[in-house]
Structures are given as structure tokens and as C-alpha cells.
Amino acid sequence: MAPGWGALALLALAAGAAGGPRYSADWASLDARPLPAWFDEAKVGVFVHWGVFAVPAWGSEWFWWNWRGEHRAAYERFVAQRYPPGTTYADFAPLFTARDFQPRDWARLFQSAGARYVVLTTKHHEGFTNWGSPVSWNWNSVDTGPHRDLVEELGEALRERNIYYGLYHSLLEWFHPLYLDDKKNGFKTQNFVFQKTMPELYDLVLRYKPDLIWSDGEWEAPDTYWNSTSFLAWLYNDSPVKDTVVVNDRWGQNCSCHHGGFYNCADKYKPGTLPDHKWEMCSSVDRSSWGYRSNMQLAELMDASSIIRELVQTVSFGGNYLLNVGPTKEGVIVPIFQERLLSLGEWLGINGEAIYASKPWRVQVENSTNNVWYTSKGPAVYAIFLNWPRDDMLKLSSPIPSSDTEVTLLGFSGTLKWKKSPDKGLLISLPYIAPSVLPMQLGWTLRLEGVK
Ligand SMILES: *[C@@H]1O[C@H](CO)[C@@H](O)[C@H](O)[C@H]1NC(C)=O
Ligand SMILES: *[C@@H]1O[C@H](CO)[C@@H](O)[C@H](O)[C@H]1NC(C)=O
Ligand SMILES: *[C@@H]1O[C@H](CO)[C@@H](O)[C@H](O)[C@H]1NC(C)=O
């Protein structure tokens, strides 16, 4: 290399550092953007599905589609039995009152749940916007229903508590005439994108300066139809959140699991091995719905131990865990959802050290009867076990102990006795713990220091 080259390269680097890199509107460039660090450190989020679907509150948030798209008999019957003849989905909007919506109470609850970020549906596939979108005439929460800017109110309350704010946004709208038109044209026209989707996405970013955009509803059309790469290039280069915003991977047909920021892949995606790209698992306390359903049964809900198991598996595999609740049309998060969220928070209060800002360890899971999952942070290795061994002796096969090895149990003071296991790993004697000392029985964390 000629001497001049080094100086030139340094100059180029300096210019890059000062102005920040520029991204072009193609996946090769956009995919190369490093993910802002806050997201991986946050690990735990709460997802909120809220919209007009909370009015019928039956089946799922896909109510309108199941009723008027697929004409499912059960939905036709449901409406015929409960609403006057001639009722349309639009008639539900005034009943979406949000009259008990207390954004600060929600924010306090989410913080108590241990959530470091919250993602709200600003607009689901029904097209109703939870803010006063200028291109969603009379189909938004300011002109009808609550007569409030729900997106703004929740954002303000979350920010008072330093919780990151994510905006869910559906690219498609099931019944929007312009969308149906573009679809009829084989997505060769983009009238819906230019008159609805893009103006709304830009509006959301400029008004609310989100930390995260959780895109959805992409699957019927290619990213070229949605103009996604053009929006993302603006978002990363010139938007007010260019340095901090993260996005997911649902930006057009076949993008999911391949392009974008972090990957969601499918809903409730569970990898079997450690993925090589940052990902997030979204899950829902109500296993059968994301939106609130008044007819849900207790057996259909995740219990606290399944929530903790999902969280631990997800974080061991390098993922974030986004747990959903659907509020009622009045804006109430029903007590059973609150209880589940608070259990999660209580568990994280003791074991959060092994979760927040952790990194996957060289081994993620040990297939023992005790169901042991690993994470790590700096020199510490965390072994999270979900079943307490009957003889109070826990065997860990993967860590290699040394004479300096120290084992502690999070939430319990003092070090634990251990010995080398005759084959490999450690045998750890678990202490007797009075339930009043460590009340959470949903999984325990050992901190191992001085192991390889
Ligand atoms: C997405 O993948 C499917 C199945 O492989 C293929 O038929 C379709 O053409 C792809 N769409 C785009 C936009 O690449
Ligand atoms: C759509 O994408 C094209 C190509 O990247 C770009 O020139 C155009 O400005 C975009 N339009 C909108 C409304 O985003
Ligand atoms: C552990 O068990 C899981 C599920 O039973 C299985 O998919 C995985 O391959 C096993 N891993 C090892 C290392 O045996």
C-alpha cells in the first residue's frame, strides 16, 4: 500500500464518524447497520394489542376479517345475536371509549413487570389509527371512539419512567379501498402505499420519535410494493431517531427472518439452536388471541411458570422476550393479565441480573431433568434451573470448575458448597431456603464465577 493511502483511509473514517454512515435504499446497505445497543440489553418488553377489535372482544383481533372477510358462521351469528340488524364494523368505533385508560397506571404496571420497552399497536390490520392520523379520516381515535391521542398519551407516561417506546404498525389494511385496488392490480400500482402507509409511517416517526418500529402486515406484497427500503434509508439517515431506532424484519414478502433490524421470523418463533442474528420472541398471555377477548378461559392463558420458561429459553438463545396483553375497550388491563405481568416482574426482581444485558454463553441448555439454561455477563456464568432437584443436589455438566470457582444463588446470601462431579462439571448442594426468604418458586439462578 502506498504511504498516502493510510492517511486517506483515516480521513474517510473520520468523515464517517462525524457524519455517521449513510445507508442506501437496498437491503445490502440497510442490513449492515449495527443494531443500537439498548435493544439487546433491554431483553424484556410488553406488547399491547389495542384497537376497535376490543369492542366485540370475541375470537381475536382478527374479528373483522373472520366476520366480513371469511364470513365465518360463528362470527355472523355473534353479531346477529348481540347487535342491531345492519351493524357494520365501523359501528364499533364509538364504543371504543378508553374511558378508564390511565396511561400512567399502565406505565407503572409495565415497569413493575420488568419491561424495559413497550410496543403499542398504533394501527392493526383493521386500519383504525390510535392517533389522529390526517389520512385516516374518521377512522382514528381522535375523531371517534376515545377522542384521545392514545399513542401520545402512552408514550409520555412511558418516558416519565425511562421505558423505551415501540410502535407497532400494520402495512396492510384488510378492507382499505386503495389497498384492495392495488391488490387487484397485482401490486403493480402503489396508491395505497403513497396515500396511506408511507404518510402514516413518516407521521408516526416525526410526531412520536419512537425507539422501535414493529412492522407487520407485510406478507401479501413484496417490499418493492411497500417502498420499505426507501423509508428505512430515511429512518436510518435523516429521521430524528436515526441513531437509536430499531426495527424488526416484516417489511415485505419473504423479508421476515432475512432482512431488517432484529428478526421476529414467525409469531412465537422458537429457534432450536443459537441464532446468529439478534431476534425477538413475541408471545401472548392469552394463548389464543393478541387482542382482548371477554370469553377467554383461565386454561387458555399462560401461567407464570410458562412465562418464565419462555423468557429464560429466549434469552439463553440471545433473544428478547415481548409478552403481550390486550386491554379492554375501556382501557383496562384485566387483573389476571396484571397478575401475570407482576409475577414476571417479581421473578426478574430476583433473577434479572442473569437476564438484562446478558449474553448467550457457549452452552445454552443442558438437557438434564432440572432443565438448566445458561446466560453470561462478563466473567459470570448464570445457570437458571427451572426444576428444583428432589435431593437438593444440582448437577451442571457444562461448566468446567477451577479451584477459584464460587457459586451463589441469586436472592440468597452466602456461597454454596460444590464439588467436582465424578464425570464432568459440578455437583452443587442447594441450601434449605425458607419461602419467606425467596418466595418465587418459578426458577432459580446460580451465579458461577471462576468457571470456563
Ligand atoms: C416469496 O417466496 C415464495 C415461495 O418461495 C415465492 O413464491 C414468492 O415469489 C416470493 N416473493 C418474493 C416477493 O420474492
Ligand atoms: C419510494 O421509493 C422510491 C425508490 O427508492 C423513491 O424514489 C420514492 O421517493 C419513494 N416514495 C415514497 C413516497 O416513499
Ligand atoms: C435437548 O433437548 C431438546 C428438546 O428435547 C433437543 O431439541 C436438543 O437437541 C437437545 N440437545 C442436546 C444437546 O442434546
Side-chain angles (χ1 to χ4, degrees), residues 273-301:
T273 55
L274 181 65
D276 58 8
H277 191 94
K278 181 65 196 180
W279 65 288
E280 175 193 65
M281 192 231 190
C282 58
S283 193
S284 185
V285 174
D286 178 358
R287 286 194 169 92
S288 303
S289 180
W290 301 88
Y292 176 70
R293 308 179 290 147
S294 60
N295 59 332
M296 66 185 176
Q297 303 293 310
L298 191 61
E300 297 168 324
L301 307 187

Side-chain angles (χ1 to χ4, degrees), residues 301-315:
L301 307 187
M302 290 181 73
D303 61 15
S305 72
S306 349
I307 292 170
I308 300 304
R309 193 181 320 124
E310 263 188 5
L311 164 75
V312 168
Q313 295 177 359
T314 300
V315 173

Side-chain angles (χ1 to χ4, degrees), residues 25 190 194 198 202 227 229-231:
Q190 290 176 282
F194 294 154
M198 278 305 140
Y202 282 85
N227 239 46
T229 56
S230 172
F231 167 72

Side-chain angles (χ1 to χ4, degrees), residues 13 19 33 79 88 100 106 121 148 189 194 234 266 289 306 320 340 347 375 384 410:
L13 269 177
R33 176 180 182 255
V79 177
T88 67
D100 297 317
W106 284 24
T121 52
R148 290 165 71 174
T189 54
F194 294 154
W234 171 79
S289 180
S306 349
N320 276 21
R340 294 297 192 264
W347 189 86
T375 65
I384 306 171
L410 296 190

Side-chain angles (χ1 to χ4, degrees), residues 1 49 171 336 347 373 438:
M1 195 194 277
H49 271 69
L171 294 169
I336 191 74
W347 189 86
W373 294 84
L438 200 55

Side-chain angles (χ1 to χ4, degrees), residues 127-129 132-140 143-144 176 196 200:
F128 187 88
T129 62
S133 163
V135 290
S136 192
W137 184 77
N138 220 24
W139 193 231
N140 69 74
D143 289 342
T144 178
H176 197 292
K196 188 76 178 19
E200 285 187 343

Side-chain angles (χ1 to χ4, degrees), residues 272-273 365-367:
T273 55
V365 55
E366 223 164 72
N367 280 351

